[in-house]
Every structure is written in C-alpha cells, then in structure tokens.
Amino acid sequence: MTAEYTGESTNGGALTVIRNGRIVDPSAHRDDVGDLWIQDGHILDQGPAHSDKEAVVIDATNQIVLPGLIDMHVHLNEPGYEYRETIKTGALAAAAGGCTAIACMPDTNPALDHTETVHFVKAQAKEAAVRVYPIGAITMGRRGEQLTEIGHLFDAGVVGISDAGHPIENPAVLRRALEYARMFDLPVLVHCEDKQLSADGMMNEGRNSTRLGLKGIPTIAEETMVARDIKLAEWTGGRIHITHISTADSVELIRAGKARGVRVTTEVTPHHLVLTDEMLAGYDTSLKINPPLRTAHDVEALRAGLSDGTIDVIASDHTPRSIDEKNMEYQEALFGAIGLETMLAVIMTELVNQGHVSLSTALLAMTATPAHILGVEGGTLQPGKPADITILDPDRSWSVATDSFRSKSQNTPFGGYTLNGVVTHTIIGGKVLPWEENSKTT
Ligand SMILES: [Zn+2]
C-alpha cells in the first residue's frame, strides 16, 4: 500500500544532474562516486544521450548524496499548540535537517482522531516544505478507551495509528486496535510505559537519581509494556511498532520477538543513542526526556541493536516545547526534546564517524526502512522513483546554536555541541528547496 504524497512533486520537467558525489543508497547496496540524473521529478537510471547543456548542475564533489531522510516520529503540534511549532515551521526544520518526509503524531488539539482533523493536516501539508504524513489516533481523544474509526482514518490518508505519548493501558483496547489495523495493513505505533511503575518519575531510576534526589523511572516501566505489546502483536497477527526504546532489555525482548516471527518493528532516537543519565548532574531541563536518558550499558545495547537490525529505525521524536515550558525547576519542566535539525549530524558525528554503526546501517534506518514500515514512497535512489534526495557535506562542522533553528522551539539536548555534517541540499520531487544553510557553518 503506497500513500499519496501531499507535497509538491515536480519541477516542471527540468533536467538536473548531481555531479561527482558519493552516492550512498542502502536500499540498493550502492556506495560509489558518480552522477545522479533527475528529470520530471524522478531519478533516471542514466544521463540522457544528448548534451547536458540544458541541465541544472549541482556539484557534489566530496559530498554524500543520499535518499532524503524520512523521520517517522515527529510532533508538529498543529492544530492546538502553534506557539511551539506549526506544520510549516516543523517542515522547514525537517528540510534543514535533511528530511524530505516526516510522519506527524496525533497529539494535537483536537487530536487526529477524526477524518476532519486529518484532512486539515493534509491541507496544511500541501504548503509545507517537505512531505508530511499524518498518523491517526488509536482512541478518541487519545484517552485509551474508545477506538477511533480506523477504516475512515485510513481512507483519509493516515499512514499508521498511535496514541503518541499515551500508552494504551487496557490490553483489550490494544488487541482490538491491532485486529482492526491489520485489515488495512496499518502499523500500530505504541508508547510503552506502565504509568503505575513510572509514576511521577523524573529521570532514569538508579545511582544517579538517588544522588540527585530525583524520583526515578525504572527500566521495567518500559519493558513490561514492550513484552505485553509484543505478545499482543503475536497473538493478533497485527503489526506493532514500538516507539523510542531506551533500555537494554527492551532490545532483547524485541530481538526475541523477531526471532519468533512476530511482526514487530522498533525505533531509537539520536539522544538515546548518545546521552546518558550521568549528564543530568546539572539539572538541565533540556535533558528531561521521556523515556528518560538511561545508562552507558543501555546506550551500548541500543547501538548493538541498531547494528544487528533488531532496531529498525532512527527517529527524532521531535517534541517542541516553549521556553516557558522548559525554563523552570527541573521537577516542573515538561518532558521532550526537539531533534529534526540535529538528527543526521548527531548520528554522523557520534556514531558513524566513531565507528559504532556503519554509514549504510545508519542511513537505512532513516530512509528505506521507515518508508517500508509506513508504506510510503521515498527512501531510495533507484531509477524511476521520486527524486527525494539529500546532499551532505560530511567534512564541514557547525556548532549547535539554539537560536538558529528553523523550529519555533529551542529545547535541544545538543546545544553547544560541535557536529560534523552540513546538509547542503534538500531535494523533493526534483525540486531543490531554497532554504539558507550558510548560517549553520562555523
Ligand atoms: Zn513522541
């Protein structure tokens, strides 16, 4: 099942060639230096026989040409919380970070629990810089009780269903959601957290929470729900996608579920792959994230799970918060971190360049795999496919300045970091986006 693009998709037949780049397309096991031709918004298998004098030329010497990233876990906050982000500003942030498509969560106000709100998002998305795919709610108002009209939401164009940050506490509700969603081959995206175990925890439960005097969130708050939801997927035959896992044992549970043939996929965020609860010593609210940052042992297990394919996807979980919602006592501040504009550079700097994960594994997890899970086009540079392409200069570095984001919000855990990798071009349907990248370079 392939959903229709909501964004602009042609450049009026113009011919473009990206010259002399390192073309990396994990979907085709491709990694070589060459030219990539685009016409009518699609990728050609070779340049045209005639002269290329009329082609637009993009020089990609010493740059990496990759399929446009697809971030399948983004909170855009419109309608309802436009002071944090809008579909327009979130899409600009996505483009700046090298994404050509994003899927947006239904935790808006009203929630995306009805076809009218889905149609609203799709209408706004038509004007957005990147392709925006809505995810519908599993239950009305995301209250975990009454199922939405999943078939109607599917007809309206949702690419999955989720109650976003709300776990489905009642297993009978999740069972029925998996059964209905299976009829449309829709993935059910779940936030695994037992609220009675996490209670009013503020950070990972362990040595550091004791030292800092903050109430902890134990790893089992996540793992008991991961185990339960894998069993429900196994029993119903439905497709479950477990969002942003954070613990070593969650990786192990999913590895075992996959080995049994359960239709389970999962994702990890850049911050859970890089940061630990040690870093909370200064009570920095930009590190207050749910699920919480865990230990070095968990980080190592997440990296191993990504490398061996247990973890399918890297997603930002871009969660904008206003300055007022973060600039307060640690206990009072809201959870959440933005990530669209830093995801690719964080992964390059902290994982790929350090040898923890291969470039092709990292890119696959941000391109072809999320496309496959959501059933959307993109994530590949194969001939005939839409020309959704990102060009990255891997050798240029930039420092993360919170006031330079295209996002309306500034709540990044990576403020002040120096990152390698500058996105120089984001191309959607053959059209080069006209955003300014120069301000990011150091
Ligand atoms: Zn989220």
Side-chain angles (χ1 to χ4, degrees):
M1 186 62 59
T2 296
E4 268 185 13
Y5 280 146
T6 51
E8 190 163 348
S9 62
T10 68
N11 65 343
L15 187 64
T16 303
V17 57
I18 301 169
R19 284 268 188 231
N20 202 33
R22 178 181 169 194
I23 301 170
V24 181
D25 180 7
S27 78
H29 305 288
R30 179 171 185 188
D31 187 345
D32 56 68
V33 174
D35 299 342
L36 195 69
W37 289 83
I38 302 165
Q39 189 164 35
D40 296 330
H42 288 75
I43 294 165
L44 301 177
D45 65 343
Q46 57 186 34
H50 59 77
S51 157
D52 62 339
K53 274 181 192 155
E54 288 172 34
V56 174
V57 178
I58 298 171
D59 180 11
T61 304
N62 296 323
Q63 301 197 43
I64 300 176
V65 180
L66 55 126
L69 306 186
I70 299 172
D71 188 341
M72 67 178 286
H73 188 153
V74 173
H75 299 271
L76 289 179
N77 286 275
E78 184 184 1
Y81 306 97
E82 291 85 352
Y83 64 95
R84 295 175 181 155
E85 196 78 284
T86 63
I87 293 166
K88 183 179 178 184
T89 59
L92 280 172
C99 295
T100 53
I102 54 179
C104 63
M105 283 291 181
D107 56 336
T108 49
N109 187 16
L112 304 188
D113 59 6
H114 200 277
T115 53
E116 269 147 42
T117 35
V118 174
H119 289 311
F120 168 81
V121 169
K122 289 191 70 169
Q124 298 297 110
K126 282 200 173 113
E127 311 295 320
V130 302
R131 307 182 197 279
V132 177
Y133 299 111
I135 294 166
I138 297 172
T139 64
M140 297 306 294
R142 303 189 303 119
R143 286 185 291 272
E145 296 159 5
Q146 183 197 343
L147 288 186
T148 54
E149 297 275 8
I150 294 167
H152 293 174
L153 293 177
F154 173 75
D155 290 340
V158 304
V159 293
I161 54 171
S162 178
D163 272 0
H166 290 178
I168 306 288
E169 293 184 10
N170 183 339
V173 171
L174 184 55
R175 172 201 168 170
R176 283 191 291 121
L178 283 161
E179 287 170 346
Y180 278 112
R182 195 182 63 174
M183 301 195 301
F184 310 100
D185 198 27
L186 275 177
V188 179
L189 289 71
V190 286
H191 172 106
C192 286
E193 176 185 354
D194 184 316
K195 289 278 195 184
Q196 297 184 67
L197 286 168
S198 62
D200 49 357
M202 299 278 158
M203 65 174 290
N204 182 48
E205 180 179 305
R207 200 161 38 91
N208 288 306
S209 62
T210 305
R211 202 176 60 196
L212 297 173
L214 292 172
K215 190 158 186 310
I217 300 173
T219 54
I220 49 160
E222 175 174 309
E223 291 149 2
T224 52
M225 289 289 263
V226 169
R228 186 201 76 170
D229 290 1
I230 290 171
K231 285 305 292 182
L232 283 165
E234 183 169 24
W235 200 76
T236 58
R239 286 174 62 198
I240 205 147
H241 177 82
I242 297 173
T243 58
H244 52 45
I245 59 167
S246 69
T247 82
D249 277 6
S250 289
V251 177
E252 198 47 55
L253 286 162
I254 291 163
R255 188 177 283 129
K258 286 187 166 186
R260 292 200 307 278
V262 182
R263 301 173 79 201
V264 55
T265 53
T266 192
E267 72 188 26
V268 64
T269 70
H271 44 265
H272 288 111
L273 285 166
V274 171
L275 306 175
T276 67
D277 65 352
E278 294 267 345
M279 296 167 179
L280 281 157
Y283 299 94
D284 178 354
T285 61
S286 70
L287 299 170
K288 186 175 177 183
I289 298 164
N290 190 19
L293 301 174
R294 303 288 188 181
T295 65
H297 167 69
D298 296 299
V299 167
E300 201 177 313
L302 292 168
R303 291 174 176 183
L306 183 63
S307 288
D308 73 14
T310 301
I311 297 176
D312 306 85
V313 167
I314 301 169
S316 71
D317 189 15
H318 180 81
T319 304
R321 300 297 187 202
S322 72
I323 288 173
D324 288 345
E325 289 167 337
K326 278 289 190 181
N327 195 8
M328 49 174 66
E329 294 261 316
Y330 184 90
Q331 284 87 338
E332 306 298 321
L334 294 188
F335 287 99
I338 56 171
L340 279 168
E341 290 170 74
T342 50
M343 178 164 74
L344 179 57
V346 166
I347 295 299
M348 291 299 293
T349 307
E350 302 287 340
L351 295 184
V352 175
N353 295 350
Q354 308 292 326
H356 297 304
V357 176
S358 74
L359 177 63
S360 67
T361 296
L363 292 182
L364 189 68
M366 295 185 280
T367 57
T369 304
H372 181 71
I373 291 169
L374 299 174
V376 301
E377 284 200 284
T380 176
L381 298 177
Q382 294 189 48
K385 297 296 184 184
D388 288 7
I389 300 164
T390 293
I391 305 179
L392 177 77
D393 186 336
D395 298 322
R396 274 161 72 189
S397 62
W398 56 289
S399 56
V400 181
T402 53
D403 58 2
S404 70
F405 287 132
R406 281 84 180 164
S407 172
K408 269 194 177 183
S409 292
Q410 305 185 352
N411 53 308
T412 175
F414 296 105
Y417 275 60
T418 297
L419 300 178
N420 301 117
V422 170
V423 173
T424 61
H425 298 79
T426 307
I427 302 170
I428 302 188
K431 188 172 177 240
V432 181
L433 293 188
W435 55 273
E436 297 292 326
E437 52 92 11
N438 295 327
S439 63
K440 272 172 106 179
T441 56
T442 50

